[in-house]
Amino acid sequence: MFRLRERPLDIEYKTPEQIASMRAAGLVVADALAATRAAVAPGVSTAELDAVAEQTIRDAGAVPSFQGYYGFPASICASVNAEVVHGIPSPDTVLREGDVISIDCGAIVSGWHGDAAITVPVGEVDPALLRLAEVAEEAMWAGIAAAARAVRAGSGRLTDISHTVEREVRRRRPSRWRRYGIVTGYGGHGIGTEMHQDPHLLNYGRPGRGPGLVPGLVLAIEPMLTMGRPRTAELDDGWTVVTVDGSSAVHVEHTFALLEDGAWVLTAADGGAARLGSLLATLPTER
């Protein structure tokens, strides 16, 4: 994920064959996240989780997208509790009962990138935090579904996704007097032969703006929510983004592609079938 920059957009649209090639990278990411999720437990360090992810990626003949990216020193971002994104794995960061950890992972196969993130509870966790993670997931899938419907209809703009994510988060507010924070400035992105490409995809905003939702567009959608206010700050390590008020945060992400008849979630093991149903595209290699 990256910050919005004001400049002309340079969007890399993909052919169905190229999207099928991206699926290989997406499946490696899915496997790496599944292995890392299984390793999460009290007493495990984030460096150990990083080793699990890297081993899974390299065993598949792939390359970690994050390692060395602008100097980033690891294969995953491991962000615990008030850390929103870009947490650097460390042997000194040891998970404890009740923590929540966001694990963001990317892989490259034959020059194509996949990128996804999950939020995982550590042992017994406050139900309110579990609900926050569920809301992020629900909003993410609602955004993907909105894009799939738009491409089928031959209409729709990028910020229709942003608006859908925001609407779904807002309507799931925890109480009449309190709502979840949607992190500002950060969001999803285009992806393909580079991990971060145009366009930038915020998790809030008015609909009907930005580039059209058309076949060949591949996006990483990644809602980031907090239990408190949405304001964040970057730590002195130059990477880790934390909530200013110290509230816990969650982060989820999938890479998905738009085809003529819907969407294909490249980093979901089932391609998105369970969540998209009839909106799942006719897949070039799996159907």
Side-chain angles (χ1 to χ4, degrees):
M1 44 87 23
F2 62 111
R3 283 192 177 275
L4 181 64
R5 295 174 287 176
E6 295 295 336
R7 56 174 176 74
L9 297 182
D10 181 17
I11 299 175
E12 178 189 84
Y13 295 98
K14 286 81 173 174
T15 67
E17 293 74 24
Q18 290 171 330
I19 291 170
S21 295
M22 289 189 69
R23 173 64 163 163
L27 287 173
V28 171
V29 172
D31 287 345
L33 286 175
T36 310
R37 180 195 291 273
V40 169
V44 173
S45 74
T46 54
E48 290 175 284
L49 298 179
D50 182 65
V52 169
E54 180 176 1
Q55 188 67 52
T56 304
I57 292 168
R58 295 198 183 279
D59 284 350
V63 176
S65 295
F66 295 1
Q67 201 170 83
Y69 186 72
Y70 290 100
F72 192 77
S75 297
I76 62 170
C77 297
S79 307
V80 182
N81 296 335
E83 297 172 351
V84 182
V85 286
H86 299 169
I88 300 173
S90 168
D92 298 325
T93 303
V94 178
L95 299 178
R96 298 177 297 178
E97 186 88 10
D99 286 344
V100 289
I101 178 172
S102 163
I103 304 166
D104 194 353
C105 181
I108 311 167
V109 176
S110 300
W112 295 102
H113 289 258
D115 188 9
I118 55 176
T119 291
V120 184
V122 183
E124 293 294 322
V125 172
D126 184 345
L129 284 178
L130 295 178
R131 180 56 184 157
L132 180 66
E134 288 175 358
V135 169
E137 284 270 350
E138 291 163 358
M140 175 181 65
W141 283 103
I144 296 171
R149 286 190 292 268
V151 75
R152 278 192 175 183
S155 64
R157 297 283 176 177
L158 182 74
T159 63
D160 295 348
I161 303 173
S162 307
H163 180 72
T164 298
V165 171
E166 180 179 13
R167 182 192 66 212
E168 294 302 307
V169 172
R170 297 301 186 214
R171 78 182 187 88
R172 289 170 169 81
R173 61 194 302 167
S175 73
R176 181 179 176 182
W177 302 275
R178 189 166 65 87
R179 63 185 187 180
Y180 299 121
I182 301 177
V183 173
T184 56
Y186 292 93
H189 50 89
I191 183 170
T193 55
E194 298 176 0
M195 182 165 57
H196 292 133
Q197 297 180 329
D198 288 334
H200 183 60
L201 176 59
L202 290 171
N203 294 305
Y204 54 89
R206 296 175 61 183
R209 299 180 176 183
L213 297 174
V214 298
L217 183 63
V218 182
L219 299 168
I221 180 173
E222 46 183 319
M224 303 165 213
L225 308 181
T226 74
M227 285 296 291
R229 296 185 180 276
R231 189 179 171 199
T232 61
E234 187 177 88
L235 297 185
D236 290 342
D237 63 18
W239 285 103
T240 309
V241 177
V242 300
T243 58
V244 170
D245 63 6
S247 62
S248 292
V250 299
H251 169 216
V252 295
E253 178 183 15
H254 267 308
T255 296
F256 72 97
L258 295 180
L259 296 169
E260 293 284 350
D261 56 345
W264 188 13
V265 185
L266 304 178
T267 48
D270 69 348
R275 301 297 291 260
L276 294 181
S278 64
L279 293 172
L280 184 69
T282 302
L283 311 182
T285 60
E286 296 191 348
R287 281 187 179 176

